[in-house]
Amino acid sequence: NNPRGAFFMEQMIFVCSPYRGDIETNTKLARRYCRYAVDKGFIPIAPHLLFPQFMDDNDSEERKLVIEMNLRILQRCSELWVFGREITISMWQEIKAAQELGIHVHYVGTEEG
C-alpha cells in the first residue's frame, strides 16, 4: 500500500515511540515507524526525531520546553500511534495527553511497525 502517485491523505499522526536509552536503535526504529505511517497514507509527526537535533534533553528547562512543544504538535494531529513494546514515562505522558484531548490512540503491533 504505497500512496505515491495516488491520493495522499492529509491526516497527521503523532508517532509515539521510545527515544531515551538506546538512542541510536530507537532513532532507527522511529524512522521505520514514520515510513510505515507514510505507506499507510498518513503524514507522520515524530518530534523525537526533530527536537534532539537542537535541544538538550538533559537540560531540565529545555526538556520542559520540548514537552510543551510536543503537546502543541499533538493537538494538531488526528491520532497518536504507539509503537514498540516498551512504554516510557514520556510516551505515557503523550498517551495521557491524547486521551485528555480526545485524540484517538492507536497501538500498532510491533510486527507492523
Side-chain angles (χ1 to χ4, degrees):
N1 184 10
N2 192 329
R4 283 184 239 164
F7 174 75
F8 190 74
M9 297 173 85
E10 293 186 19
Q11 289 186 350
M12 293 188 300
I13 60 105
F14 190 101
V15 174
C16 180
S17 67
Y19 177 74
R20 285 184 164 190
D22 185 349
I23 293 173
E24 184 177 344
T25 297
N26 290 340
T27 298
K28 286 178 185 177
L29 288 170
R31 287 182 185 135
R32 191 169 131 203
Y33 302 149
C34 287
R35 183 66 220 196
Y36 172 80
V38 168
D39 289 344
K40 294 293 183 185
F42 293 88
I43 301 169
I45 305 296
H48 56 302
L49 291 181
L50 173 63
F51 293 137
Q53 303 298 315
F54 54 87
M55 299 294 288
D56 183 357
D57 198 48
N58 295 313
D59 179 301
S60 62
E61 289 303 311
E62 288 203 5
R63 181 152 176 77
K64 287 179 192 175
L65 181 58
V66 167
I67 291 168
E68 179 61 31
M69 290 189 293
N70 285 351
L71 295 179
R72 297 295 291 262
I73 291 168
L74 175 60
Q75 292 173 350
R76 289 161 176 78
C77 294
S78 59
E79 295 184 5
L80 179 138
W81 289 9
V82 180
F83 291 92
R85 295 182 179 155
E86 174 190 4
I87 304 289
T88 65
I89 292 170
S90 295
M91 290 171 66
W92 175 246
Q93 290 171 336
E94 292 166 349
I95 293 165
K96 184 178 176 199
Q99 292 169 335
E100 290 172 358
L101 292 165
I103 295 171
H104 176 72
V105 176
H106 175 63
Y107 292 86
V108 182
T110 55
E111 69 281 355
E112 295 179 272

